[in-house]
Structure formats: structure tokens, C-alpha cells
Amino acid sequence: MSDKKVSRPCHHCKSRSASVPSDTSKIHYEKFWLYRHCSSVQQRDRQAQKAGQLFSGLLAMNVVFLGSAFISSMIFNKVAITLADVWILLSILKVLCLFWIIYYLMGTSRQPHAVLYRDSHAGAIWVRGSVLLFGSCSILLNVFQIGYSTVLVHCKSKVEIVFPIIGILFICTQAYFLWHHSKDCIQVQHNFTRCGLMVTIATNLLLWLLAVTNDTLHMEIESQLREVEQRFAGNETTLCTCPNTTICKVFQKGYILLYPFNTEYCLVCCSVLYVMWKNVGRRISHHHILNTKPKFKLQGVVFGPLLGTSAVIIGACVFMMYQIQATSLDPSRQVLVIYYSYYIVLLPLMSVGAVIGTIIHALEKKELDTLKNPTRSLDVVLLMGAALGQIGMSYFSIVALVATDPSDLLNSLALSYSVLLIFQNITQNVFVIDGLHRRHVVAAAEAKHAGHSGQDTVAAEMPGEEETTLSGKQEHSQTPPGKEEDTKEEQNREAYSQRRVSVLELGQEIRKASLSYIHTYSHLSWKRRVLREISFFLVLCNIILWVMPTFGAHPLFENGMERSFYGYSTWFVIVNFGLPLGVFYRMHSVGGLLEVYVTA
Amino acid sequence: MSDKKVSRPCHHCKSRSASVPSDTSKIHYEKFWLYRHCSSVQQRDRQAQKAGQLFSGLLAMNVVFLGSAFISSMIFNKVAITLADVWILLSILKVLCLFWIIYYLMGTSRQPHAVLYRDSHAGAIWVRGSVLLFGSCSILLNVFQIGYSTVLVHCKSKVEIVFPIIGILFICTQAYFLWHHSKDCIQVQHNFTRCGLMVTIATNLLLWLLAVTNDTLHMEIESQLREVEQRFAGNETTLCTCPNTTICKVFQKGYILLYPFNTEYCLVCCSVLYVMWKNVGRRISHHHILNTKPKFKLQGVVFGPLLGTSAVIIGACVFMMYQIQATSLDPSRQVLVIYYSYYIVLLPLMSVGAVIGTIIHALEKKELDTLKNPTRSLDVVLLMGAALGQIGMSYFSIVALVATDPSDLLNSLALSYSVLLIFQNITQNVFVIDGLHRRHVVAAAEAKHAGHSGQDTVAAEMPGEEETTLSGKQEHSQTPPGKEEDTKEEQNREAYSQRRVSVLELGQEIRKASLSYIHTYSHLSWKRRVLREISFFLVLCNIILWVMPTFGAHPLFENGMERSFYGYSTWFVIVNFGLPLGVFYRMHSVGGLLEVYVTA
């Protein structure tokens, strides 16, 4: 790309030492040959940013299309393009990404003034934690794959040992990179970094696509053992079956069990990398940096955890019953009835919780946070996008069930399951999206507090009005704390402000006292408590709803109703694209709900 | 939806007469029960707008999913869900849309202060023209369908005459609505209007989806006559074949010929309706309204039209040869070679033109227009999105051709065709997107001019510096005209400014003279002329590349190479989604390029 040259590091800046980020001389404004004649530096910078995003996006689009064509060719024409060809392409991409990541770690990020700002919203601990968790699972998966290939080395090509090794290297480096640099707003080599990030995103997307289409194997093993044997016979592994040794069976079983984590890992990495891509060249105002994240505290919630834990325990029992029955090749109707009944009880509870939460959000006099925040925008898009998978599947299921025989018990159960699932997804999305846009009370109080520190004496002498006007001047989008409570609790506040006046002479201690009071106080508000109960309950529910399909409960596939309606291959395609998205949706909801819980 | 009540018309405003739009008392700020406690009216308004968009979007999503599930069921399970069921669903949706459109025309838009602002960018004449054109073709299509069903009334159900009648009503009303109201920024009944628009968009999308999947019929008639007969035999028209009368053949042929226009009509309507949806509740500043559209003038271009016309003529010949050969059931290799050769000559020319155009854009010292403009944002998204169809198909084709036998003449031709197509699409997109963001010179001059009208005497007395400072103050994002030319033409400008000083005493005439001079001058600039030549050439090329696949030249399907590689059904799905998008891309490019031509 011709723009790489323009974005090379500014060498004359190297001599300077890194100090305050607000120094404008350290900002590398972006340039682009297309936009040399803009009147202002800011405008040129913005346009260059857009152009850089366009070009790197085009690069990624081409890579993704090429890879998809490869993968589709492999699926539909097993002779001309084999799995090995796809692996070679992906390995080349992985090696390219590895080189770029290493260059980023060694070169780009160590340049002077490379990372002046860090996006506090990006790379939340739960996201980075899941990168590590899923990353380790994926590494284990690759280890099992190596072991499996080694056992069967007599009939498998040695290349099948090389690919997983490259995979392990890629996963480790990427996880390290994301753990340490996911918050970076890189200010040098903009376009090169964008291209690198986009190629990495494309690689992860292709790995996901391959995993989804290859998940075929796993699901078929579970549901249609006979057909698999036929397919295997037609495949390259004609005479290559696992000998009856324990180690080979362990490798095989571990491989099947760990497979879903690999798909999740790719999706999570994509979302983190995308936020990094959006943050390239972003300059964050001081206002943003101030807004620190609150910590997770398990305080003042009782019913949510109780209800949620019971849902998890019952769900685990149902899941185990289902798994024992489902693996016995001929799943009985009874276990499906139990499975659906569990969902039909749980889903309305979750929906009601989400609706109540949304209503409380509306009742609460909390300000909305309308600042720019790429992480949140992405969260919203991902929530809506991932929900589409589940909702789409449900609609397909509804049409099939209504068209066949809705009066049958199992059909009517499956029907209500699908309808409730749509309703639950939508209500939960509205609740989470709305919650993510509410400002955190304590953070707002702390921000106000920080604003005061310069005017200690003035603030101490005029406690009432001064507080509101000052904070109003400094940060117009924040609420004075007086607005946070409703009229019913007015007296409580008066007592608080009187007590504040009485401790006027304590000087430095006053701030600590008021802060701890706000803390205690906020725990007293019934609205906040209900919000926390609801979000905690939903977190636990989403965890169990995430675990069940991840580890192999796919009633939509195993009940056979939709399968016989749409035909095997069509329904297979629908489920194979809907299910991984549904699983990702649950995982992503957990993150969003945790954020709602913490900021409530 | 619970928010309908909130957004009901403000009745106490009815007594007032409509006057200047800047009167804030006439603005209906949006409200939403979720966001009652925002500190400022503006913030609440913005949040209510977002919430309204979210809810109406969710509504549309549900409708689209339900409809897609219906259509898929029809395709994969012809017994349970028939085409008639799908038509009933679509007719219900159409009737709902009809009611809403009539309510909008009679009720909403006639309320006081309902349409305070009109988006000058929305509903460009070429868009509305294509709505009318494609709308009339779709009406004709429905007429043919009625005729066809009437001829075969003995074996077809009478419902098949009712559906097209509803279709005609829907198309007429929608075309009238879009012709007159596509520029509206409606300020009352926000959420109800949003929902109505979204349901209409969903209906059009479903009609498109049905048309695309039903296009099967048409394409199979062209390419695999025998198989069609078998399918017809298996379908409801078992004994229902066209008798050998001329009128029946005419109806059938007209139906096949007009089919593609129907799909285009749906897509164009969707894009216009989407812009209207984005414009609901939008308040446009005076600055925006000022920016009038320049008129289309065929002046000062010679080579573009010449080259383009010859490309069109040659293309028409190639197309006719192709069609005559292709309909003879056994298309020879020769005609495919001619077809591919034509593309291989034309596409590099177009790419080179687009690249040169982009470079000239970069050389030109023109300001960028960074104002908010939903129409342009949509244009960019649609250009990129529609190109994906073509690019995706090309990549699939490339992989198939490389994997089979790239040394064969026809294969290598098809290969270069695909590669060149990707390159052409990308370069053209960059050129058009970049061009759409450049400010129109004459418009800028006129805007400046309008800014002057208040300070007539001052401006007349101090012609040189005053002009720049005044316009700089009033509209900081506009360029003074002195910046538009490069150093080589400096002398010319000096002569111009000297001449202006000498005519100082002419007062009123000076503005006219200078304006006409800018006009003449702009025609002299070689850069603008080259830009116009290129965009005119590209317009004509895109028209011929649009006509050829629209009227049935589908070499990607008829050459049989990719079809045998991926298998019939897979390749059919790929082509059936890629081709209509590719056709839409060409049509949309013509619009974008015309805009670039006009503003150059």
C-alpha cells in the first residue's frame, strides 16, 4: 500500500523524552496523499484516518473473501482443494500476523510517543481473562491434535503436526499481545498498524469460519455416528482410525470437548482487535481518562445469586441427564421434554427480570453517558449481531413447527421455547444496551471530587450550592449528586448535608467521609439493589445457557423436527451458523451484564 | 409499542400558522419513557431518537426473519409451505404498508410543522427517476402476470390474480409516496413514522429476497430448459403449460424480460426509505439548506462520451451475439471468448480511469465536505456492500479456476476477467467515495455569494481581502476561490482580480460578472475537465455493464466451469446472491458517478 511510506515514524521526535501527553508537539497527525490540501491539520488528520480505515478494511475484505472461497471449495469440492490447502493458506496468514505482532511489540510500540493514550474502556479484565482462558484451551486443543496425529503418524502426513505447532505459536503470541496492548491508542505508523490489525482480524475470522464448518465433524459424531463413518471412509482417513488404546481415545475426546473454545477464542480476539483498530490514532481528552472503572463487589445482593445459583444447579442436572441420554444414539422424547421445560420456566423469569430492569433504569434519575466510546459501540453491535443468530434460528424453527403439527406436546414445547428465546434475547439486549449507557454513580462522584481538589478551601466553605455550580461548569454532562435520588429520600439527603456542614473543620477528612457515605448511601437505594439483583441473576442464567450448548446440548438439531422439515443439509447450515453465534451471544451478554452490575 | 402515545401530535400548535422554520417553539422534541431524566432537552431528544431507531429496527428485524423463514421453508419444503402462503404473508405486509403510507400522506405530513426541513441530498432526481422507471416496469410485470394467470385460469387458482392486483396498488402508492416525500425530515409522530418506514423497508427486502430466490425460474429457463420442465412437472403447474397462442407467449416472455427490474425496484425503494428513516426527527441547520445541487450540463467533455459510447456500442453487439448463441441451448466456446475479451479490454481502461481520477482528486486543492449527510453515508455503504456481491463471486470463481486448469484459454480468460473485476470494483469505489466528499466549486461560490448579500456595500468597496475574511468567518469550512487553482495558473488569477478592481463602480453587476467568470474559468481548468471526462466515460461503461447481466448474460453460470467445481446447487446460491447485488452495484455506481461528474 502506498500510504505506508507517509506514516513512517517521525525521526526528529526521537530525541525528546516522554513526558506529559497533552504536549501537542508529540502528536503525530496522520497524513494521506489523497488529502494534502485540507485547510486545517485536524481535518486532514480525520480524513487520513478515514482513508486508512478504508484501505485496511479493503485489505481485510480481500483476505476474508479469498479464504472463504478456499474454505467453501474445500467443503464442496473435496478433490481439488483439500483441508491441507486451507491449512497452508491459514498458516501463511498466521506467520504474517506473527511477524507483524512481533514487529509491533519490538518496534512500533517502543517508539517515542507511540502510546500517549490508553482507552480505559477497551480490554476490560473479563475480556482479557476470556482471551487467556480460551487461548489456553485452544493451546490444549492443538496439543491434543499433535498427540492424535503422532499416534496415527503411520497413516497421516507429517505436515499435520507442523500446523498445530504454528497454531500454538500464533495463539500464545496473540494472547500476550492482546493482554498487554489491548488498551493502546497507537500514535505512530498508523496505516501499517491498521493493516496489521486487519490482517490479524481476517485470520481469526477465517479460523472461526473453518472451525464452524469443521464443527460438522464433532456434531455428526454426537448425533449421527453411522453417517460419519461413511464420510470418514470417503475422506483421506480411509484406513486411519484410532487404535483401541486409551491415549488415542483421550486425545480424540479432548479434541471434541475443547473444540467450542477454539471458536470462542477466535471471536473474542476479533472483537478486541477491532477495538484496537478503531483506537489507532485516537486522541483521548483528559475527561475520558478521568473516568476510572469501578471494582466488582459482591455486596448487598441476595436473591439474584440465590435464584441464579439454583438455576445453574438445576440446569447442570438437566444438562447431564440430556447428555447421558443424547449420547445413547437414540435420544428419548422424555429428555427433550425436560430440557424444553427447563428453558420454558427459566426464559420468562429472565425476560421479566430484564423488563423490570429496563423500567427501573427509566425511573432512575441517572444521567446518560454520551461520550465517544468505541468499546461500547462495538459491544452494542456485537450484542445485536450475535443475537441475530439465535433469533434467526428460532424463527426458522417456529415456521417449521407451525407448518407441521403444533398440537403435539413436544412440538408445542419447542414452539414456546423458540418464541420465548426471541423475547428473552430482545428484552435482555434492551436492558444491557440501556444499562451500558448509564453513568456510573461512584465514578461521577469521584470525578466531581477530583474537580474539587484544586479549589479545596472554596469548596469547604460553601458546601451546598458551590458544589453543584462547580461541577456543572467543569463537566456539563455530569449530574450533581442531588439529582441521583428521588423525592422520597429527600430527608435522608438533608441529614447528610447537615452532617457535612458540622464536620467542616476537619478539612482533609471531609472528602473521605463523604465518599464513604456516598458508597453506603448508594447501597441503601432500593433501585440500585434491584438492578444489581437482576443483573447478577441474569449473569448466572446466561452462564448456564452458555455452558449447555457449548458442551454439546443441541436440541434444535437432535429433536429432528426441523431437520426433517428443511432437509438435513439446509438445517445443518442454519444451525451451524446460528449456534456458534448464540454461544458467543451468551458469553458476550455475561460481560455486558457484569458491567451493568458493577455500574448499577 | 408503548411510545406511540408519547409522540402524538402536539395539538396546541395547530392554531399557529406555518412560517419561518427557525422558530424553536415549532420543534417537536422527541420523548421516550426510558429517558425522562436527562438534564437537557437536546440530550433527551437525541436519546429518544436512538431508542426509537432501536425499537423500529427490532421490529423490522423480526419481520424480515419471519419472512425469510417463510421463504426458506417454501424453497426447502415445498409441501408444507407453498408459494401461496408466502404471497399471503407478503400481501398482508403490503396492505399494512399501504395503510401506513395513506395515513402518512393524509395525516402525518399534513399536520402543522410536520415537515419543517427537507434534506436536499436525499431523493436525488436520478434516484426518484429510477423509482418511477423500475416501478412502471414492475407494474407491467404484474400486468403480464395477471394476463398469464387469466389465460391459464382453468388450471390456476383465482388467488393468483388477486396478488398481482395488490402488488400494483402497493407499487403505485409507494412510488407516489417516494416521489413526493423522499426529502422529508418529519418532525411529528416520530416513532410511528419510524415503525411504518421500517415495515415498508422489511416488505421490500422480503419482496427482493423472494424475487432473487424465484429468479431461479428465469435463469433455469435460459440455461437448462430440460430441468425446468421436470421441475414444473413436480410443481403445482403439473398440467398447466402455456397453450401455443401468441398472447400467452408474449405474457411469458414479457414476464421473464421484466423480472430483473422488479428486484432493482425493491432495492432502490429500500435505500430511499432508509434515508427517510434516518431523516425522521432530523433538524437541518441553515448551512445545510443553502447547499443547493448543481445542474447536469454536458459541456466541455469530448473524449469521455466518445470512448464511452463506443464501449456501449461494442458491448451491445457482444451482448446480442452472446444472447443469440446462449439461447441456442448449447453455447459455444467462441462466444464466451468474445464476451470475456470485451471485459478484459474494458475493465483495465475503467480501472486506469478511476485511478487517474483519484490522483487528480488528490492534486486538486479542493476542500472536503465533512458535514453530516445520511444520503452520502448510505451511498458509500451501499457502494461497498453491493460491491461485495461481485467481489465475492469473483473470488469464488478465481479459486475454482486456479484449482482446475488455469492453462486452458477459456479458463485463463475467465481468471483474468475475475481478477480485473475485483480491481475495477475497488478502484471505482475509491474514486466515487472520494469524489462524493469533495465540495462542489460552484456551490461553494454561490454560498459565499449568498453570505455577501447582507453586506452589499461593504463587500463592493473592499473587494480583495474582505471577501476572504467574511466568508471565512461565516462558513469556516469553505475555501476561498483563490485556493482552487494551482500555481501554474497564478497569472490568470491576477488578471482576473485586476479586472475586478476596474469594474468596482458597476456595483450590482460585479457579482454576476465574477460568477460567470468562475463558471468559465472552471471550464478551463484541465483537472476538472479530465475528471468530467473520466466520470462520463465510467458512467457509460457502468450502464453497459449493468445492461448485460440484467438482460440475461450470465457467463459465470453458463460457462459451466465453476458450476461443475462447486456443484450445481452451491454455485447457484452463490450466483443468485452475487448477481443481483452486482447489478445493483452498477446501477448505484452510475448514480454516484453522475454526482461526481456534476460536482467536478
Side-chain angles (χ1 to χ4, degrees):
Chain A
M1 217 145 275
S2 59
D3 42 293
K4 276 176 197 167
K5 212 180 275 174
V6 185
S7 65
R8 70 177 183 277
C10 164
H11 287 294
H12 67 87
C13 303
K14 269 190 175 169
S15 54
R16 302 185 191 191
S17 63
S19 58
V20 207
S22 56
D23 186 356
T24 48
S25 67
K26 273 155 201 160
I27 295 172
H28 296 250
Y29 284 104
E30 287 189 62
K31 285 170 193 156
F32 205 88
W33 59 272
L34 253 171
Y35 305 109
R36 293 177 305 168
H37 302 301
C38 290
S39 52
S40 69
V41 182
Q42 269 82 7
Q43 208 197 1
R44 191 173 59 203
D45 179 67
R46 201 166 54 236
Q47 287 299 325
Q49 204 165 329
K50 275 189 189 172
Q53 291 184 344
L54 176 68
F55 277 99
S56 55
L58 282 172
L59 177 68
M61 185 200 72
N62 281 293
V63 173
V64 167
F65 269 120
L66 183 65
S68 317
F70 251 80
I71 292 170
S72 311
S73 305
M74 179 203 71
I75 295 167
F76 296 111
N77 188 331
K78 288 187 168 59
V79 183
I81 304 256
T82 59
L83 187 61
D85 293 329
V86 176
W87 274 112
I88 289 170
L89 177 76
L90 284 175
S91 297
I92 292 170
L93 284 174
K94 279 179 183 171
V95 170
L96 275 179
C97 295
L98 270 179
F99 279 134
W100 173 74
I101 291 175
I102 290 165
Y103 176 73
Y104 182 89
L105 295 173
M106 298 294 160
T108 315
S109 68
R110 294 198 179 170
Q111 282 191 6
H113 324 310
V115 188
L116 295 178
Y117 313 93
R118 290 171 76 84
D119 182 359
S120 59
H121 301 287
I125 187 71
W126 68 269
V127 175
R128 287 188 292 157
S130 49
V131 166
L132 273 203
L133 174 69
F134 297 139
S136 355
C137 292
S138 303
I139 290 169
L140 256 181
L141 176 79
N142 278 303
V143 169
F144 282 143
Q145 207 175 351
I146 294 172
Y148 188 65
S149 301
T150 323
V151 171
L152 299 172
V153 75
H154 59 278
C155 58
K156 287 205 170 197
S157 73
K158 281 176 192 67
V159 192
E160 283 187 46
I161 303 171
V162 177
F163 293 142
I165 291 172
I166 297 176
I168 290 174
L169 275 178
F170 177 68
I171 293 165
C172 290
T173 322
Q174 186 172 256
Y176 174 84
F177 168 64
L178 293 181
W179 182 265
H180 286 283
H181 294 275
S182 58
K183 288 177 188 296
D184 288 8
C185 299
I186 198 87
Q187 302 292 332
V188 290
Q189 300 186 334
H190 302 94
N191 288 315
F192 185 61
T193 308
R194 281 205 190 96
C195 290
L197 283 167
M198 265 296 158
V199 171
T200 318
I201 290 177
T203 309
N204 278 296
L205 265 184
L206 288 174
L207 285 171
W208 176 73
L209 194 65
L210 182 68
V212 166
T213 47
N214 232 19
D215 203 24
T216 321
L217 214 91
H218 163 213
M219 282 178 71
E220 282 180 279
I221 285 168
E222 300 291 283
S223 68
Q224 296 215 330
L225 270 174
R226 212 163 306 126
E227 216 178 339
V228 173
E229 277 162 29
Q230 284 174 349
R231 275 188 197 218
F232 261 98
N235 236 0
E236 84 272 22
T237 50
T238 323
L239 289 160
C240 209
T241 45
C242 211
N244 277 331
T245 52
T246 325
I247 186 122
C248 186
K249 290 282 174 208
V250 166
F251 283 147
Q252 202 178 29
K253 198 73 195 168
Y255 184 80
I256 288 171
L257 204 71
L258 287 171
Y259 210 94
F261 291 107
N262 191 27
T263 60
E264 298 300 305
Y265 176 72
C266 296
L267 284 182
V268 174
C269 285
C270 277
S271 66
V272 178
L273 288 165
Y274 175 78
V275 172
M276 283 189 75
W277 179 73
K278 285 292 266 189
N279 277 335
V280 169
R282 188 174 163 217
R283 281 175 291 281
I284 297 167
S285 62
H286 191 61
H287 190 98
H288 260 277
I289 299 165
L290 221 138
N291 226 332
T292 48
K293 270 280 151 72
K295 288 215 176 69
F296 180 81
K297 273 179 204 157
L298 196 75
Q299 239 173 1
V301 282
V302 181
F303 299 104
L306 268 182
L307 257 173
T309 314
S310 50
V312 168
I313 292 168
I314 297 168
C317 296
V318 170
F319 175 63
M320 277 188 283
M321 277 170 67
Y322 185 88
Q323 278 306 87
I324 292 163
Q325 281 276 322
T327 47
S328 67
L329 264 180
D330 179 35
S332 68
R333 275 171 65 93
Q334 207 188 348
V335 74
L336 280 172
V337 170
I338 293 173
Y339 186 92
Y340 281 131
S341 308
Y342 172 69
Y343 268 84
I344 287 168
V345 173
L346 187 64
L347 291 174
L349 278 179
M350 290 171 74
S351 308
V352 168
V355 170
I356 292 175
T358 314
I359 292 170
I360 289 177
H361 269 152
L363 290 174
E364 241 189 346
K365 285 170 186 155
K366 241 183 181 183
E367 275 301 290
L368 294 167
D369 183 5
T370 47
L371 289 170
K372 196 187 162 194
N373 184 344
T375 313
R376 187 173 55 202
S377 315
L378 178 72
D379 275 349
V380 170
V381 170
L382 281 184
L383 265 183
M384 295 304 296
L388 291 188
Q390 185 67 62
I391 293 174
M393 264 201 309
S394 295
Y395 268 112
F396 276 98
S397 178
I398 288 171
V399 169
L401 294 168
V402 169
T404 48
D405 178 22
S407 60
D408 177 55
L409 171 70
L410 200 58
N411 273 19
S412 56
L413 280 177
L415 191 62
S416 16
Y417 162 83
S418 294
V419 172
L420 287 170
L421 214 48
I422 294 173
F423 193 66
Q424 195 271 325
N425 271 344
I426 290 176
T427 50
Q428 182 170 292
N429 273 1
V430 171
F431 173 63
V432 174
I433 291 170
D434 194 39
L436 289 179
H437 282 87
R438 303 277 159 172
R439 284 182 72 88
H440 180 45
V441 184
V442 180
E446 273 167 4
K448 200 196 67 185
H449 194 71
H452 271 275
S453 58
Q455 294 106 341
D456 253 353
T457 44
V458 188
E461 272 159 34
M462 302 170 78
E465 303 78 32
E466 183 63 27
E467 209 172 288
T468 25
T469 46
L470 256 181
S471 64
K473 270 181 212 160
Q474 286 165 353
E475 306 196 23
H476 65 279
S477 62
Q478 281 181 10
T479 355
K483 269 197 181 175
E484 278 147 29
E485 286 83 50
D486 44 358
T487 45
K488 203 187 159 196
E489 295 149 340
E490 193 76 24
Q491 303 136 336
N492 235 331
R493 215 176 78 235
E494 269 177 40
Y496 156 65
S497 87
Q498 276 176 9
R499 195 171 68 127
R500 250 204 104 175
V501 172
S502 71
V503 291
L504 196 70
E505 60 277 352
L506 285 170
Q508 196 61 38
E509 272 81 347
I510 190 168
R511 242 171 283 122
K512 280 184 194 171
S514 69
L515 200 69
S516 77
Y517 193 78
I518 289 170
H519 266 273
T520 338
Y521 189 77
S522 61
H523 285 291
L524 290 175
S525 158
W526 67 269
K527 286 175 199 156
R528 292 193 52 201
R529 185 178 282 176
V530 172
L531 273 184
R532 286 184 155 227
E533 301 273 14
I534 288 172
S535 40
F536 204 99
F537 169 67
L538 287 177
V539 164
L540 289 174
C541 290
N542 276 290
I543 287 175
I544 185 69
L545 295 190
W546 168 52
V547 166
M548 284 162 89
T550 303
F551 289 100
H554 308 304
L556 274 177
F557 196 75
E558 280 134 7
N559 71 18
M561 290 179 289
E562 295 92 351
R563 199 172 52 187
S564 61
F565 183 81
Y566 287 105
Y568 184 86
S569 56
T570 311
W571 185 240
F572 197 79
V573 168
I574 296 170
V575 169
N576 235 10
F577 272 84
L579 257 185
L581 277 181
V583 169
F584 182 72
Y585 172 74
R586 291 294 167 200
M587 204 200 73
H588 205 81
S589 306
V590 170
L593 286 164
L594 276 179
E595 205 133 315
V596 173
Y597 173 81
V598 166
T599 55
Chain B
M1 216 144 278
S2 60
D3 43 293
K4 275 175 197 165
K5 212 179 277 174
V6 186
S7 66
R8 71 179 182 278
C10 165
H11 287 294
H12 67 87
C13 302
K14 269 190 174 168
S15 54
R16 303 188 189 187
S17 63
S19 56
V20 206
S22 56
D23 185 357
T24 48
S25 68
K26 274 155 202 159
I27 294 172
H28 296 249
Y29 283 104
E30 286 190 64
K31 285 169 193 157
F32 205 87
W33 59 272
L34 253 171
Y35 307 108
R36 294 178 305 169
H37 302 300
C38 290
S39 53
S40 69
V41 182
Q42 270 81 10
Q43 207 196 2
R44 192 173 58 202
D45 180 66
R46 202 166 53 236
Q47 286 301 322
Q49 203 165 330
K50 274 190 191 172
Q53 291 184 343
L54 176 68
F55 277 98
S56 55
L58 282 172
L59 177 69
M61 184 201 72
N62 281 291
V63 174
V64 167
F65 270 121
L66 183 66
S68 317
F70 251 79
I71 293 171
S72 311
S73 306
M74 181 204 69
I75 295 167
F76 296 111
N77 188 333
K78 288 187 169 59
V79 184
I81 304 255
T82 59
L83 186 61
D85 294 329
V86 176
W87 274 113
I88 290 170
L89 177 76
L90 284 175
S91 297
I92 293 170
L93 284 175
K94 278 179 184 171
V95 170
L96 275 178
C97 295
L98 270 179
F99 279 133
W100 173 74
I101 290 175
I102 290 165
Y103 176 73
Y104 182 90
L105 294 173
M106 299 294 161
T108 315
S109 68
R110 293 198 180 171
Q111 282 191 7
H113 323 310
V115 188
L116 295 178
Y117 314 92
R118 291 173 75 83
D119 183 359
S120 59
H121 301 287
I125 186 69
W126 68 269
V127 175
R128 289 188 292 157
S130 50
V131 166
L132 274 203
L133 174 69
F134 297 140
S136 354
C137 291
S138 303
I139 290 170
L140 256 182
L141 177 79
N142 278 301
V143 170
F144 282 143
Q145 207 175 352
I146 294 171
Y148 187 66
S149 301
T150 324
V151 172
L152 299 172
V153 75
H154 59 277
C155 59
K156 287 205 170 194
S157 75
K158 282 176 191 66
V159 193
E160 285 187 43
I161 303 170
V162 178
F163 294 142
I165 292 172
I166 297 176
I168 290 173
L169 276 177
F170 177 69
I171 293 164
C172 289
T173 323
Q174 187 173 256
Y176 175 83
F177 167 65
L178 292 182
W179 182 264
H180 285 283
H181 294 275
S182 57
K183 288 177 188 296
D184 288 9
C185 300
I186 199 88
Q187 301 293 333
V188 290
Q189 301 186 333
H190 302 93
N191 289 314
F192 184 61
T193 308
R194 280 204 190 96
C195 290
L197 283 168
M198 264 297 160
V199 171
T200 318
I201 291 177
T203 310
N204 279 297
L205 265 184
L206 289 175
L207 285 171
W208 176 73
L209 195 64
L210 182 68
V212 166
T213 48
N214 234 17
D215 204 24
T216 320
L217 217 90
H218 163 212
M219 281 178 72
E220 282 180 278
I221 285 169
E222 300 291 283
S223 68
Q224 296 214 330
L225 269 174
R226 212 164 306 128
E227 216 178 340
V228 172
E229 276 162 31
Q230 284 173 347
R231 276 191 196 214
F232 262 98
N235 237 358
E236 84 271 26
T237 51
T238 323
L239 291 162
C240 209
T241 45
C242 211
N244 278 331
T245 53
T246 326
I247 187 122
C248 186
K249 291 283 173 206
V250 166
F251 283 147
Q252 202 179 30
K253 199 70 196 169
Y255 185 81
I256 289 169
L257 205 70
L258 288 171
Y259 211 95
F261 291 107
N262 192 28
T263 59
E264 297 300 305
Y265 176 72
C266 297
L267 284 182
V268 174
C269 286
C270 277
S271 66
V272 179
L273 288 165
Y274 176 78
V275 171
M276 283 188 74
W277 179 74
K278 285 293 265 187
N279 276 335
V280 170
R282 188 174 162 215
R283 282 175 290 282
I284 297 167
S285 63
H286 191 61
H287 190 97
H288 260 279
I289 299 165
L290 222 139
N291 227 330
T292 48
K293 271 278 151 72
K295 289 214 174 70
F296 180 82
K297 274 180 203 155
L298 197 75
Q299 239 173 3
V301 281
V302 181
F303 299 104
L306 268 182
L307 257 174
T309 314
S310 49
V312 168
I313 292 168
I314 298 168
C317 296
V318 171
F319 174 62
M320 278 187 282
M321 277 170 68
Y322 185 88
Q323 279 306 86
I324 292 164
Q325 283 275 321
T327 47
S328 67
L329 264 179
D330 179 38
S332 67
R333 276 171 63 94
Q334 207 189 347
V335 74
L336 281 171
V337 170
I338 293 172
Y339 186 92
Y340 282 132
S341 308
Y342 173 68
Y343 268 85
I344 287 169
V345 173
L346 188 63
L347 291 174
L349 277 179
M350 291 171 74
S351 309
V352 168
V355 169
I356 292 175
T358 315
I359 291 169
I360 289 177
H361 270 153
L363 289 176
E364 241 190 346
K365 285 168 186 157
K366 241 183 181 182
E367 276 302 289
L368 294 167
D369 183 6
T370 47
L371 289 169
K372 196 188 161 192
N373 183 344
T375 313
R376 186 174 53 202
S377 314
L378 178 72
D379 275 349
V380 171
V381 170
L382 281 183
L383 266 182
M384 295 305 296
L388 292 187
Q390 185 66 64
I391 293 173
M393 265 201 308
S394 296
Y395 268 112
F396 276 98
S397 178
I398 289 171
V399 170
L401 293 168
V402 169
T404 46
D405 178 22
S407 61
D408 177 56
L409 172 71
L410 201 58
N411 273 21
S412 55
L413 279 178
L415 191 62
S416 16
Y417 162 83
S418 295
V419 172
L420 287 171
L421 215 48
I422 294 173
F423 193 67
Q424 196 271 325
N425 272 345
I426 290 176
T427 50
Q428 182 169 293
N429 273 3
V430 172
F431 173 62
V432 174
I433 291 170
D434 195 39
L436 289 178
H437 282 87
R438 303 278 160 173
R439 285 182 72 87
H440 179 46
V441 185
V442 180
E446 274 167 5
K448 202 194 65 182
H449 196 70
H452 270 278
S453 57
Q455 292 106 342
D456 254 349
T457 45
V458 187
E461 273 159 34
M462 302 172 76
E465 303 79 32
E466 183 64 27
E467 209 171 288
T468 24
T469 46
L470 256 180
S471 63
K473 270 180 209 161
Q474 287 164 353
E475 307 194 21
H476 64 280
S477 63
Q478 282 183 8
T479 354
K483 266 196 181 177
E484 278 148 29
E485 287 83 51
D486 43 358
T487 46
K488 202 189 160 194
E489 293 147 344
E490 195 74 24
Q491 303 136 336
N492 235 330
R493 215 174 77 235
E494 270 178 39
Y496 156 64
S497 86
Q498 277 177 8
R499 194 170 68 128
R500 253 204 101 176
V501 172
S502 71
V503 292
L504 197 70
E505 59 279 351
L506 285 169
Q508 197 59 37
E509 273 80 348
I510 191 168
R511 242 170 284 120
K512 281 183 192 169
S514 68
L515 201 70
S516 77
Y517 192 79
I518 289 169
H519 266 271
T520 337
Y521 190 76
S522 63
H523 285 290
L524 289 175
S525 158
W526 66 271
K527 286 174 198 156
R528 291 193 54 200
R529 182 178 285 176
V530 171
L531 273 182
R532 288 187 153 222
E533 301 274 13
I534 288 172
S535 40
F536 205 100
F537 168 66
L538 287 177
V539 164
L540 289 174
C541 291
N542 275 288
I543 287 176
I544 185 69
L545 296 190
W546 167 53
V547 166
M548 284 162 91
T550 303
F551 290 100
H554 308 304
L556 274 176
F557 197 75
E558 280 132 8
N559 70 19
M561 289 179 288
E562 295 93 352
R563 198 172 54 189
S564 62
F565 183 82
Y566 287 105
Y568 184 85
S569 56
T570 311
W571 185 240
F572 198 78
V573 169
I574 296 170
V575 169
N576 234 10
F577 273 83
L579 257 186
L581 279 180
V583 169
F584 182 71
Y585 172 74
R586 291 294 166 199
M587 205 200 73
H588 205 81
S589 307
V590 169
L593 285 165
L594 276 180
E595 206 134 314
V596 173
Y597 173 81
V598 165
T599 54

